[in-house]
Structures are given as C-alpha cells and as structure tokens.
Amino acid sequence: MKTALIVIDMIIEFVYGSLAIKDAEKIIPKIKELLKIARDKGMPVIFTNDAHEVGDPELEVWGPHAVKGSDSAKVIPDFEVEESDYIVEKRTYSGFFNTDLEGILRLSEVDTVILTGVATSICVQHTAADAFYRGWKIIVVSDATADIDEEKHKNALETMKKLYGAKIMTTEEVKNLLLGIS
C-alpha cells in the first residue's frame, strides 16, 4: 500500500475566518499527528485549498471567500507547510477537478489516499468521489474531519463508506496502520 495524506481546506477562511467550520479547530491536533508520521515515512503530503477567482460558481452559493492570493486562502499557520509538501489550489469542492492532484498521485505511484480536513459533507466528500472514480482506495479519518454540524459529518462518512468503499478510521487506527502496528 502506497499512501498519500491529503489535507482538505484547512485554510484560514474555514478554520478562523467568516466561513469557519464549527469543529475545525478541534481536528488540528489530529491532523498534526498524521502530518508528522506521513513526513517521517516520506509519504506525499498534499494540501488542497480553495483559491477562488471571479466567476467561480461557488461564489454565487457561498459569497466571496478564499479568494486566490488572499490570506484567507492560505493553509493555517498551525501547520508548518514543508518544502516537500504540495499545495494544490482548487476552484471547486473537489480536489481533483481541473487541478494537478491526479498527476501528483500518479507520479508518486499512490494507490490509497487518506483524507482529512473540512467540510466532510462538501469538499471531503467530493474529493472522495473523484478519488473513487479514478481508482484510488480511500481512507477517511473520522476524527480528523469536521463539518458544519455533527449530523452532516456522520451522514457524509456513511455515504463515503457505502458509495465509494471508503474505510472510515480514527486517527489512532490510521497511525497504527501507517506504523505497521496491528
């Protein structure tokens, strides 16, 4: 199994900004744990960030947010982005649509993606769908993802499990998997 850790939309806008997800701050320590292990093991670490431009359809739905080049579209300072990490800017919910994500994963010979971040029922779920359509195995970290409310979070996890065959795991379970602990 060759894995990549994908951190979805853990940007200033969605953690500390005007569209902050209620529990986004609570998942920061869990993602930090996974970032450390991924980097120690030489796994690809990929941040997929909203970076909107004028005319993006999401702006009509959510209003102006995470504008490309603005501070609100940057990875939160809690995560120190390293030189070996990838930052993929996206203009839609999916980390794959019109981005370099697929190429990065293919060049890295990844077969499994580990998804973390926000919002579980929006960008995480749409990224999972596109990963499934492209043939990747999917792990969604239940306590390292967050949504607008707990019911949406739980429903999205169940949807990804049923529709995309995603394994829903806790941070501890993923750490044990990555460290080879049974």
Side-chain angles (χ1 to χ4, degrees):
M1 175 173 79
K2 177 116 188 226
T3 57
L5 178 64
I6 301 177
V7 181
I8 300 166
D9 280 336
M10 290 298 287
I11 59 174
I12 292 169
E13 183 76 60
F14 298 135
V15 180
Y16 302 118
S18 62
L19 292 178
I21 304 293
K22 182 180 126 220
D23 290 333
E25 288 186 62
K26 291 180 185 175
I27 65 174
I28 292 170
K30 301 289 187 181
I31 295 173
K32 278 185 168 182
E33 290 179 55
L34 295 173
L35 284 168
K36 178 169 179 6
I37 292 170
R39 290 171 176 148
D40 288 350
K41 295 193 114 348
M43 291 170 44
V45 170
I46 306 160
F47 292 90
T48 62
N49 302 344
D50 263 14
H52 293 293
E53 296 182 27
V54 174
D56 286 352
E58 278 185 43
L59 299 178
E60 290 183 30
V61 176
W62 300 99
H65 68 283
V67 174
K68 183 178 177 80
S70 71
D71 284 346
S72 68
K74 291 181 180 174
V75 174
I76 57 172
D78 308 70
F79 302 142
E80 295 176 16
V81 177
E82 296 190 0
E83 204 172 304
S84 60
D85 298 341
Y86 298 91
I87 295 181
V88 173
E89 292 184 335
K90 61 189 185 67
R91 295 174 64 181
T92 66
Y93 302 137
S94 172
F96 285 94
F97 187 76
N98 288 335
T99 72
D100 294 331
L101 181 56
E102 182 170 0
I104 292 166
L105 295 173
R106 296 231 187 267
L107 286 172
S108 301
E109 300 179 345
V110 166
D111 62 15
T112 303
V113 294
I114 300 170
L115 305 182
T116 64
V118 296
T120 317
S121 67
I122 305 171
C123 295
V124 175
Q125 186 171 321
H126 284 275
T127 300
D130 278 351
F132 173 75
Y133 301 145
R134 288 163 172 79
W136 279 284
K137 295 176 190 136
I138 304 160
I139 297 171
V140 181
V141 190
S142 59
D143 60 349
T145 49
D147 208 313
I148 296 161
D149 66 52
E150 189 61 26
E151 189 167 332
K152 287 182 188 312
H153 175 72
K154 288 178 183 174
N155 290 340
L157 293 174
E158 189 61 27
T159 297
M160 289 183 279
K161 180 179 176 181
K162 283 182 181 176
L163 297 184
Y164 315 133
K167 290 183 181 177
I168 309 303
M169 302 174 77
T170 64
T171 300
E172 199 61 34
E173 290 169 330
V174 172
K175 284 171 41 181
N176 290 340
L177 176 72
L178 296 176
L179 295 172
I181 301 168
S182 53

